[in-house]
């Protein structure tokens, strides 16, 4: 660039030639004065503007303040020449911050470049949007960036940049991007032929799906399908093979994306995923001599293991993973050890049994002394997750020994984890007190208030522990150097329970007072305030040392600290009252037990570790904590917002206001506020296609086995079905009627009540429908209980633009009825046994007669028999009446009997339909279905 601008080249040479900073500044000031004069005079052509703006950019890069050239940079963006436009965009992105007023002037120019059919201009504009990323720019241009991404005419590298630009805008201004509205269109790009585009779009979808799980649920099938094509079918170009590993970056992203969702109930998807994961693990069983190949393979392998753990922690795949991880945590490669420990922590957080991990406990403990701090941190996380009642004393002991030499960056986290493990897995209260006091003594300033608050809670609520705690804390206070947190614990416990040990040798009231008061001179005002409260308690229970205590109150009445002075004055007045006065006794009564509450330590730890860009689907701390976290996230869901088959990922566990966890010990003015996690709403059923023909086709298929379900100028959908007991199979025929392929073809099934009906495809549907051909997809259905809503089939595809069609599938409970032949006596006997309401449902409705003025008995028989009920001949004496019987088969509720009686009246043009069943829900639903079909003629 500089070679084409002689003035710029000379300017750079002069700057480089300056031997001292003063000469450099002098040259720059001279040049800036010249540029200001030129800009002020005007009449500059594009080349001159470009040259002067380039000098300004170079000056800015050197670190000098620049206050000129902004307007000229804006003008350069509108230039038709690439070199001038490039300098203009460079200046805008470097010289202007996101709140600059000049940015408003460039929005229209950027939009014009986005709209141009010129990929170079498109890319320059996308770079500027991503680099500046202001809120105003995001609101004005996000739609244009989205249009570039989805446009079939956009070049692949433009699509890649557009996807990453949207990702940048979403991370900075998530409310500006209509993520749920764009979901289907963005997910369809995951089927793009170019893997580079797929990688960028997957990065975008990963960010969007974390906050909009339900809207992006269809990406689950797309991710599984793409992994199958990459890993099993080898469908990728040589360009995207990195040391013989097919696009490892894309594999890692897809495997991570699948972990955001609950394990799929679809047997087909589970089978395909199992095959993919097994292949990945088999390919990585033996390490290669090539370091780069190993790195790529391990990146994919560790993510595959995490997914296997997420899907089913007790599967054989996870057993294989545990063996591989044991090898990795002993590797010479630091990165491999790190990933091995991190993935093993995931396994510990989900596994039913920790025995496979305990075999390698020695290796993990040695990792605490690894030369790399990141490995040491992962080893700490793993030990925390794999701790239980059997190994708690060993692990806590090791952590306490390591705490004394641990990095300062690790100590606060270690203190929290040791405190949590000690409380959770304590075999005896004595061990708990010994360990916690040892922790407070060793950790010093790294002990937060939550730790000693929790100790006080447990001691107060455990009567058998109080005497022992008082003795142990007294012994700790006798050491020459005692941390202030230990003084606080000692002050509280001795004040409340010091009288329990006062008669023992070496623990007299005077000795307790001398030991505790000797520490007060090294404490801050808040701790001294607590010690004054301890002293007033002692005035009540230890009258022999009352003079010394009153003397201390007298001294503190004159200190400058308002809190100390107020306490001293109040306590002095109390202590000076007559001995027979009951006020002091009432004020100094023993603290009652604290109400049961969850430990604030876990909330503090999760808040400390929860702020990450990529939300984890698990937390450190074993299976129990993860189940509790999952339960808490479900409780946080608004009523009716939980959806079957989806999981809500939250960044942190419920937080507590730590400072309110102990009444009377609030030494701070403020505390941490509770953290509330936003939870998405429920899955909304897709909007169904409507129209006279659509309704007619659907109604016909509710009582027939095959036919057309939907048809337009582009696509035809047909159905052929068969049912046996509680199982059914639908062959769905999808025909492409146009001369171009339908790409990014997606078929999904929405079932309103998955506990009553399951519907899964036999295999992953193909993503392309060839022109003028028909494709068949098999759908397996199972009736578990009675249900009332039809499942919805949604097909979406690209045919120039993205299109989506949702139609109801003619699957009702009557499809799972099997006709039963009964004689007249048997029928009426069962009719009477079932009885009337609520197990009887009845409706009277108008009907129309046929062309000859007669009842359309043929159609009535067709509708009843089409709903799988057996029409019983010669049961009703009236030949116009229909009587039918059947048994509904369900896999959960078993068999449900159903009897029907249809009584049409030609003179009144009315029909009475009565259904009786052993289940009132079944009776009402069968009545609704058949009445609707019989009413059609009269409407």
């Amino acid at each position: 660039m500089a070679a084409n601008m002689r003035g710029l080249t000379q300017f750079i040479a002069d700057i480089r030639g300056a031997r001292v900073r003063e000469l450099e500044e002098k040259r720059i000031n001279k040049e800036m004065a010249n540029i200001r004069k030129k800009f002020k005079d005007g009449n500059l052509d594009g080349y001159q503007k470009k040259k002067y703006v380039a000098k300004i950019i170079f000056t800015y890069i050197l670190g000098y303040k620049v206050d000129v050239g902004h307007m000229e940079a804006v003008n350069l963006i509108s230039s038709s020449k690439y070199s001038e436009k490039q300098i203009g965009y460079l200046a805008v992105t470097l010289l202007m911050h996101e709140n600059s007023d000049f940015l408003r002037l460039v929005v229209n120019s950027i939009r014009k470049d986005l709209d141009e059919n010129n990929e170079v201009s498109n890319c320059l504009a996308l770079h500027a949007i991503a680099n500046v990323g202001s809120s105003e720019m995001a609101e004005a241009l996000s739609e244009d960036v989205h249009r570039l991404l989805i446009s079939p005419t956009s070049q692949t590298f433009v699509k890649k940049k557009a996807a990453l630009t949207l990702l940048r805008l979403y991370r900075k201004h998530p409310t500006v991007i209509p993520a749920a509205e764009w979901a289907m269109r963005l997910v369809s790009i995951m089927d793009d032929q170019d893997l580079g585009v797929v990688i960028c779009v997957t990065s975008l979808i990963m960010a969007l799906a974390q906050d909009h799980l339900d809207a992006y649920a269809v990406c689950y099938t797309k991710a599984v399908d793409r992994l199958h094509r990459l890993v099993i079918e080898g469908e990728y170009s040589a360009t995207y093979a990195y040391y013989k590993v097919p696009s490892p970056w894309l594999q890692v992203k897809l495997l991570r994306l699948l972990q955001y969702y609950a394990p799929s109930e679809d047997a087909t998807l589970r089978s395909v995923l199992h095959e993919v994961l097994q292949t990945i693990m088999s390919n990585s069983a033996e390490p290669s001599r090539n370091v780069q190949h190993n790195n790529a393979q391990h990146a994919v392998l560790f993510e595959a293991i995490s997914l296997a753990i997420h899907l089913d922690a007790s599967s054989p795949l996870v057993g294989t993973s545990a063996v591989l991880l044991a090898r990795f945590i002993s590797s010479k490669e630091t990165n491999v050890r790190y990933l091995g420990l991190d993935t093993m922590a995931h396994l510990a957080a989900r596994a039913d049994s920790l025995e496979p991990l305990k075999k390698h406990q020695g290796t993990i403990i040695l990792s605490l002394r690894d030369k790399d701090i990141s490995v040491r941190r992962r080893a700490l996380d793993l030990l925390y997750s794999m701790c239980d009642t059997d190994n708690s004393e060993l692990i806590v002991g090791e952590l306490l020994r390591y705490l004394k030499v641990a990095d300062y960056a690790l100590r606060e986290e270690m203190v929290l984890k040791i405190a949590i493990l000690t409380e959770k897995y304590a075999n005896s209260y004595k061990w708990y007190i010994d360990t916690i006091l040892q922790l407070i003594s060793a950790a010093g300033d790294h002990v937060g208030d939550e730790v000693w608050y929790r100790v006080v809670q447990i001691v107060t609520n455990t009567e058998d522990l109080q005497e022992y705690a008082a003795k142990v804390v007294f012994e700790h206070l006798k050491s020459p150097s005692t941390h202030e947190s230990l003084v606080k614990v000692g002050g509280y416990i001795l004040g409340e329970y010091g009288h329990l040990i006062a008669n023992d040798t070496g623990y007299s009231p005077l000795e307790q007072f001398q030991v505790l008061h000797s520490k007060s001179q090294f404490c801050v005002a808040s701790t001294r305030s607590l010690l004054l409260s301890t002293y007033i308690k002692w005035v009540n229970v230890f009258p022999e040392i009352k003079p010394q205590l009153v003397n201390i109150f007298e001294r503190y009445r004159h200190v400058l600290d308002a809190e100390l002075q107020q306490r001293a004055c109040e306590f002095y007045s109390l202590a000076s009252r007559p001995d027979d006065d009951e006020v002091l006794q009432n004020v100094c009564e023993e603290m009652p037990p604290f109400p049961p509450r969850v430990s604030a330590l876990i909330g503090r730890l999760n808040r400390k570790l929860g702020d990450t860009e990529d939300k984890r689907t698990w937390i450190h701390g074993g299976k129990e904590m993860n189940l509790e976290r999952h339960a808490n996230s479900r409780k946080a869901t608004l009523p009716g917002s939980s959806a079957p088959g989806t999981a809500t990922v939250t960044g942190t566990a419920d937080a507590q206001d730590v400072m309110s966890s102990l009444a009377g010990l609030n030494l701070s003015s403020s505390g941490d506020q509770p953290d509330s996690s936003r939870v998405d709403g429920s899955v909304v059923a897709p909007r169904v296609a409507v129209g006279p023909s659509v309704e007619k086709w659907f109604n016909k298929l509710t009582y027939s086995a095959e036919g057309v379900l939907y048809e337009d100028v582009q696509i035809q959908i047909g159905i052929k079905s068969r049912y046996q007991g509680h199982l059914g199979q639908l062959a769905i025929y999808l025909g492409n009627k146009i001369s171009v392929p339908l790409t990014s073809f997606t078929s999904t099934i929405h079932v309103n009540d998955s506990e009553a009906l399951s519907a899964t495809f036999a295999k992953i549907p193909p993503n392309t429908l060839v022109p003028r051909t028909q494709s068949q997809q098999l759908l397996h259905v199972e009736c578990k209980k009675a249900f009332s809503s039809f499942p919805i089939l949604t097909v979406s595809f690209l045919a120039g633009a993205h299109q989506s069609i949702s139609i109801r599938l003619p699957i009702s409970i009557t499809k799972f009825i099997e006709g039963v032949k009964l004689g007249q006596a048997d029928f009426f006997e069962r009719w009477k046994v079932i009885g009337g309401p609520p197990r009887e449902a009845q409706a009277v409705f108008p009907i129309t007669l046929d062309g000859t003025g007669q009842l359309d008995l043929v159609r009535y028989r067709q509708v009843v028999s089409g709903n799988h009920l057996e029409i019983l001949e010669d049961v009703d004496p009236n030949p116009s009446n229909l009587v039918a019987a059947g048994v509904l088969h369900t896999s959960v509720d078993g068999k449900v009997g159903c009897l029907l009686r249809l009584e049409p009246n030609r003179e009144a043009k009315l029909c009475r339909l009565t259904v009786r069943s052993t289940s009132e829900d079944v009776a009402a639903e069968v009545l609704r279905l058949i009445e609707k079909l019989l009413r059609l003629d009269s409407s």
Side-chain angles (χ1 to χ4, degrees), residues 640-702:
S641 65
S642 60
T646 62
T648 304
V649 179
T650 56
T652 62
D654 293 338
Q656 257 181 252
D657 187 347
V658 174
M659 301 308 291
S660 66
S661 61
L662 283 185
L665 284 181
N666 189 348
L667 308 181
S668 173
S669 61
S670 64
D672 298 324
Q673 295 301 315
D675 172 46
S676 58
S677 300
R678 185 175 62 82
V679 182
D680 285 330
S682 59
V683 178
V684 179
R687 184 173 295 177
V688 177
V690 293
S693 299
V694 175
E695 194 69 21
K696 178 183 173 184
W697 292 327
F698 173 78
N699 288 326
K700 185 176 180 182
L701 281 169
T702 56

Side-chain angles (χ1 to χ4, degrees), residues 765-777:
N767 60 1
T768 302
L769 209 54
V770 183
R772 311 285 186 187
T773 58
Q774 193 177 68
S775 170
Q776 175 186 303
Q777 293 182 21

Side-chain angles (χ1 to χ4, degrees), residues 53 57 60-61 69-70 73-74 77 85-100 102-103 106 110 123-134 137 168 172:
V53 171
I57 292 172
Y60 177 81
I61 292 173
H70 295 77
V74 171
I77 289 178
K85 188 184 289 290
Q86 182 190 35
I87 291 291
Y89 272 116
L90 184 60
V92 165
T93 54
L94 285 176
L95 303 181
M96 299 181 192
H97 57 81
E98 61 180 68
N99 297 318
S100 172
F102 285 100
L103 285 179
V106 301
I110 292 176
C123 291
L124 286 173
L126 290 170
H127 286 168
I129 297 169
N131 283 320
V132 177
S134 66
M137 196 176 278
R168 163 77 168 161
K172 286 196 73 176

Side-chain angles (χ1 to χ4, degrees), residues 18 32 99 135 198 251 262 291 324 471 569 589 622 626 647 769 774 815 840 873:
M32 287 297 108
N99 297 318
S135 175
V198 177
Q251 286 191 58
V291 176
L324 288 171
K471 285 186 177 181
C569 290
E589 280 186 358
N626 278 274
L769 209 54
Q774 193 177 68
K815 298 290 186 180
E840 177 189 272
E873 306 293 349

Side-chain angles (χ1 to χ4, degrees), residues 182-191 198 201-210 212-227 253-261 264 269 273 744 746-748 764 796:
W182 291 351
M184 291 298 293
R185 189 62 184 88
L186 292 178
V187 171
S188 69
I189 307 175
M190 290 178 72
D191 287 322
V198 177
V201 169
T202 303
S203 299
L204 173 61
I205 289 173
M206 283 176 70
L208 298 172
Q210 288 183 63
H212 305 85
L213 280 173
D214 301 334
Y216 286 84
V218 71
C219 74
Y220 195 95
T221 306
K222 294 284 187 188
V224 174
D225 182 41
R226 178 63 75 173
L227 280 170
K253 289 178 186 295
L254 294 173
L255 292 166
R256 176 66 60 86
L257 177 61
L258 293 175
Q259 293 175 57
Y260 296 155
Y261 289 90
S264 173
L269 289 178
L273 259 183
S744 191
T746 307
S747 305
T748 55
I764 298 178
S796 59

Side-chain angles (χ1 to χ4, degrees), residues 488-562:
K488 293 175 184 177
V489 177
Y492 184 94
I493 292 178
L494 291 177
E496 292 293 330
Y497 312 113
H499 64 278
L500 299 176
I501 62 171
N503 295 327
D504 297 348
T505 306
Y507 302 103
S508 67
L510 184 59
E511 288 173 303
Q512 291 185 39
F513 167 69
Q514 289 172 344
V515 167
L516 192 59
H517 189 60
S518 66
K519 308 294 180 184
S520 64
Q521 59 185 318
F522 306 110
C523 298
V524 296
S526 58
T527 307
R528 294 186 187 188
S529 299
L530 188 147
L531 293 181
L532 288 180
S533 298
T534 301
Y535 297 158
I536 193 64
K537 293 260 184 178
W538 281 349
V539 168
N540 185 41
V541 295
F542 299 148
E544 59 267 38
I545 60 170
K546 181 176 178 180
Q548 294 95 315
L549 299 172
V550 172
N551 184 41
I552 291 172
F553 295 147
E554 171 64 31
R555 291 212 320 265
Y556 273 93
R557 288 170 63 190
H558 308 291
V559 296
L560 294 178
D561 187 275

